[in-house]
Amino acid sequence: MADPKVSKRTHDIVERAADWFVRLQDARDEKTVREWERWCQADPEHAVIWRRFAEMDQSVPDGRRGQDQAAVQTVQLATRLRSRRRHLKLLASMVTVGLAGTGTYRYACDAGWLAEYRTGIGEQRALQLGEPGIALLLNTDTAIDVVDNAPFVDVHLHGGELLMDSVDRAQRANVRVVTRDATITPDRARMVVRYLRRGMHRHTLAALTAGRAQVTTIGQINGEIIAGQATSIGAGRIAMAHRYPEREFAWTQDMLVAENMRLDAFLEELGRYRQGIVRCDDAVAGLRVTGTFRIHDTDRVLAVLAESLDLRIEMRSRYWVTVMANEANA
Amino acid sequence: MYRQHHAWLFGLLRHRLGGQHADAWDLVQDTFERVLRHRKWQELSQPRGYLSAIAKRLLIDRHRRKTIEDAYLAALAQQPEPVAPSAQDIAEVVEHLNRVCMALDRMPDRMRQVFVRARINGQAYDVIAQQLKLTVNVVQKDMMQAWQRIYHAIHG
């Protein structure tokens, strides 16, 4: 860290000057000021370096100075973003697993604007937070922002889905998941949190297969959720969605589980793993889908659906798919 | 060494920078410049490892500088009395803030927290001491060392 170009003498003077600089911030009694003056005058280099400290006092933003606010906010943002290098530790491979078969290499600093970590469509990424690590797995099209909010570490889930595993911790960790609806604090849990916005509608879902979690919604509703259920969370309510949390973990094994799901809802889910749009006709939207599908190959899933539900898949392009009734049998 | 490795580094950086040829090329030059300036580069047995480490540091610096510039411009626009400083003034401030942030990046966590709270956020030492469970003496020592580092980041 020490710059070899700086002599020891200069280094020592800077150290002394820094000491005076901090001391004089709140001790302005005569005795101290006179001692400082004596030090300043003892050597010309002392005065030169002191002048630079005085300049720094003007140029380094001070939160108490009105005219510094733009610079203050800038440094605040930069240090918040910087905290990702402290809290994110990539696994050794540094390879993102591409569900669509595209493996890409990424570095920790390659983040989306104001989102500290982002996965593309069809991509998953594994991360560790802190040491020892809490394992995080991000699903397709997910953006998170890791923020140092001492004593907590807040993982802001801007959109998408993540798995957080803190089961192996000796005690409750201080990592939380924050969505627009609520703050969720897991306690030695294995938890999936999903936060999706569909038009005007937004929705947080938390599912646990181990441990428990505290939930505080933005409407100040508090609750505890336990393993064995999937819970739907909104601003003003915490309600059980269903008792099969494992379904919400299927994506971590590259699978999608449907249980009597409407076709339009199913296609919406599938569409998260695909570039472009997948629509279906009103005529078939209400058909029910049940089964376990490998999401590695979404074209294949569509083909299987078409076959089992007697549908026609129209691909105007790879990016525009419409699912409709098979007219041959209409 | 340049002849041997510059094309490889260019390819690597171009990919990292999303296809920006000019920026990647600049970074290749900067990287080699640093390596040739500081090290006994003839003695490097694995130049690529060293080159990519330097390049990565430069990338991080570049990213930080861009972040600072964007954030500063956005913050300026949001001020109650919006100011429009000259491009030169902005460049100077951005350079300055970049050095401050670089020093902050390299500080131990506690020191950085103390400095940000005290100077950037304007918190009093005794409040910081209480919230971080330290003594005021320790806070002052951290501040002193923080200022020292910032001095060296700005003046060398």
Side-chain angles (χ1 to χ4, degrees), chain A residues 111-177:
Chain A
W113 173 240
L114 285 188
E116 303 216 346
Y117 234 74
R118 192 184 282 274
T119 50
I121 293 183
E123 204 186 312
Q124 282 184 353
R125 189 169 312 172
L127 310 164
Q128 292 233 22
L129 287 189
E131 289 190 69
I134 288 183
L136 261 195
L137 183 64
L138 305 184
N139 198 4
T140 175
D141 197 21
T142 294
I144 67 166
D145 198 343
V146 180
V147 175
D148 189 351
N149 190 12
F152 298 106
V153 169
D154 286 344
V155 175
H156 289 259
L157 179 58
H158 298 297
E161 194 166 21
L162 57 81
L163 162 71
M164 185 179 285
D165 194 330
S166 58
V167 163
D168 293 330
R169 306 283 289 191
Q171 61 197 37
R172 186 214 306 261
N174 57 350
V175 182
R176 311 189 297 190
V177 177

Side-chain angles (χ1 to χ4, degrees), chain B residues 13 23 25 31 48 50 55 61 64 84-85 123 139 141 155:
Chain B
L13 288 173
D23 293 341
W25 191 244
T31 306
R48 288 198 177 184
Y50 192 69
D61 188 65
R64 177 181 46 231
Q123 237 182 1
V139 170
K141 283 210 169 68
H155 295 112

Side-chain angles (χ1 to χ4, degrees), chain A residues 6 14 18-19 21 49 52 57 59-63 65 69 72 74 76-77 81-82 84-86 107, chain B residues 16 60 63 67-68 71-72 75 79 96 101 104-105 109 112 119-121 144 147-148 151-152 155-156:
Chain A
V6 178
V14 172
D19 183 55
F21 186 67
I49 287 174
R52 289 181 177 170
D57 198 19
S59 64
V60 173
D62 185 339
R65 286 199 296 240
Q69 287 317 302
V72 160
T74 304
Q76 284 170 338
L77 177 72
L81 290 178
R82 178 245 175 263
R84 72 169 164 236
R85 283 207 288 286
R86 169 170 167 1
Y107 290 106
Chain B
R16 304 287 313 102
I60 291 174
H63 184 253
T67 304
I68 287 173
Y72 184 62
Q79 295 308 304
H96 183 71
C101 287
L104 284 174
D105 272 6
D109 291 338
R112 176 176 49 255
R119 177 72 180 198
I120 307 297
N121 299 347
M144 194 197 99
W147 278 114
Q148 228 187 309
Y151 176 96
H152 287 301
H155 295 112

Side-chain angles (χ1 to χ4, degrees), chain A residues 272-313:
Chain A
R272 292 172 59 205
Y273 300 89
R274 237 191 118 80
Q275 298 272 6
I277 302 170
V278 181
R279 290 266 181 272
C280 71
D281 274 359
D282 287 339
V284 296
L287 290 179
R288 297 290 168 159
V289 179
T290 297
T292 303
F293 302 84
R294 304 216 66 226
I295 41 182
H296 175 82
D297 185 345
T298 55
D299 283 343
R300 180 103 192 85
V301 174
L302 289 169
V304 165
L305 266 187
E307 172 131 3
S308 63
L309 294 177
D310 196 25
L311 301 166
R312 187 157 71 85
I313 313 284

Side-chain angles (χ1 to χ4, degrees), chain B residues 17-37:
Chain B
L17 291 169
Q20 310 267 20
H21 286 65
D23 293 341
W25 191 244
D26 284 343
L27 267 175
V28 169
Q29 304 310 311
D30 285 346
T31 306
F32 276 96
E33 196 209 343
R34 264 161 179 68
V35 172
L36 296 172
R37 207 200 299 163

